[in-house]
Amino acid sequence: LNPFAISFLVCWVLGFGIWVLRFTLTHLMKLLRKTLILTHRYLGIVFSALIVMWFATGITMMYVGGMPRLTPELRLERIAPVDVTQVRVTPAQAAQRAELSDPPTRATLLAVLGRPAYRFTVGRDSTIVFADTGELADEFTIAQTREVAARFMRVSADKVRHVASLEQTDQWTLGMGRIFPLHKFAIDDGEGTELYVSPTTGDVVMLTTAKTRAFAWISTIPHWLYFEALREQQLLWYRVVVWTSAIATA
């Protein structure tokens, strides 16, 4: 081949290569631009809907409140009075019978199942000693916690139905994992009331009604993404809330 033909061939190959590269880059840029536009459009639709939901549920929360809870006012109103005439055991004697590992951080005289009792708290543990006989209370049975629920709701025991014995949180006891297990009861009061009672302490720890549960489902739960399966994973829930908020407001 003569030098001219070789030069022509080289120039043609280079020119063709440059044309192919420009053609490929042009189409890639068009594809990238189209992809970005479509991604922005549909993500915008999704996050716009999310922002509208946050706005609507936030307004709803202002008027209907947050998650169902047992208010201090209701708890105080329903506390059973202590019949001090039945007290036969001093606090010191009760503490001795409780055989506490450390001095109690708190001691309370209260009524449990209609009987006066001392509750000694050491750290997260509680021990109950009945003040009339000095008897050490074991974990309360379903029948006993059912009676606690009936007394708290001021209804007869036949209107209290045991629903479940919970070993882990459900939608309405999120964040209360330290006080499990719990006995859950449904109350036949026309309001769809559900009560959670601790078999360890004999306390009512949560109260919900059909109304407060419904309001929670249209306000707090979607607003804070407070769904049980997600909320149980504290770190994951936190990241999802933070990142969705950041992306939606970006």
Side-chain angles (χ1 to χ4, degrees), residues 85-242:
T85 62
Q86 296 184 28
V87 175
R88 299 288 184 271
V89 179
T90 67
Q93 291 171 331
Q96 184 177 5
R97 296 188 184 187
E99 298 181 351
L100 304 174
S101 57
D102 295 299
T105 55
R106 184 177 183 182
T108 308
L109 177 63
L110 69 163
V112 178
L113 299 173
R115 299 170 60 186
Y118 296 106
R119 177 188 295 153
F120 299 103
T121 302
V122 179
R124 296 180 183 176
D125 299 323
S126 294
T127 302
I128 294 177
V129 179
F130 286 105
D132 51 358
T133 63
E135 173 191 358
L136 192 64
D138 295 323
E139 183 172 294
F140 296 103
T141 65
I142 292 176
Q144 290 173 319
T145 51
R146 181 185 181 194
E147 184 179 345
V148 170
R151 288 172 179 267
F152 186 88
M153 293 302 300
R154 298 173 180 171
V155 299
S156 59
D158 62 334
K159 291 190 175 182
V160 180
R161 177 174 55 86
H162 178 250
V163 176
S165 295
L166 305 179
E167 297 293 336
Q168 58 185 14
T169 58
D170 64 4
Q171 183 66 55
W172 313 114
T173 55
L174 294 170
M176 300 171 64
R178 293 179 179 178
I179 62 174
F180 274 73
L182 295 175
H183 292 166
K184 179 179 179 180
F185 297 94
I187 313 299
D188 182 15
D189 61 352
E191 297 184 5
T193 301
E194 292 181 349
L195 217 61
Y196 296 76
V197 182
S198 169
T200 304
T201 64
D203 283 338
V204 174
V205 298
M206 174 57 71
L207 182 150
T208 72
T209 65
K211 183 178 180 180
T212 58
R213 293 192 297 272
F215 280 150
W217 278 113
I218 63 172
S219 59
T220 309
I221 294 174
H223 187 86
W224 291 110
L225 306 181
Y226 223 74
F227 304 102
E228 178 187 353
L230 178 61
R231 186 63 181 84
E232 285 181 341
Q233 309 296 323
Q234 173 70 23
L235 182 59
L236 175 62
W237 170 78
Y238 175 79
R239 288 176 175 174
V240 169
V241 170
V242 170

Side-chain angles (χ1 to χ4, degrees), residues 10-130:
V10 170
C11 291
W12 186 87
V13 170
L14 289 174
F16 181 76
I18 292 172
W19 179 84
V20 170
L21 181 60
R22 290 184 61 186
F23 179 82
T24 302
L25 289 175
T26 300
H27 279 72
L28 284 176
M29 291 301 296
K30 288 181 178 179
L31 179 62
L32 178 61
R33 182 173 179 271
K34 183 178 181 180
T35 301
L36 288 174
I37 291 174
L38 290 176
T39 301
H40 183 271
R41 177 187 300 171
Y42 292 111
L43 282 179
I45 293 173
V46 172
F47 283 104
S48 294
L50 190 61
I51 290 174
V52 171
M53 183 273 290
W54 277 335
F55 177 80
T57 54
I59 294 295
T60 306
M61 286 172 60
M62 292 172 59
Y63 293 97
V64 303
M67 293 289 285
R69 66 191 183 97
L70 178 58
T71 63
E73 293 79 12
L74 180 59
R75 187 191 299 275
L76 181 62
E77 177 191 340
R78 300 294 174 88
I79 287 180
V82 179
D83 185 358
V84 294
T85 62
Q86 296 184 28
V87 175
R88 299 288 184 271
V89 179
T90 67
Q93 291 171 331
Q96 184 177 5
R97 296 188 184 187
E99 298 181 351
L100 304 174
S101 57
D102 295 299
T105 55
R106 184 177 183 182
T108 308
L109 177 63
L110 69 163
V112 178
L113 299 173
R115 299 170 60 186
Y118 296 106
R119 177 188 295 153
F120 299 103
T121 302
V122 179
R124 296 180 183 176
D125 299 323
S126 294
T127 302
I128 294 177
V129 179
F130 286 105

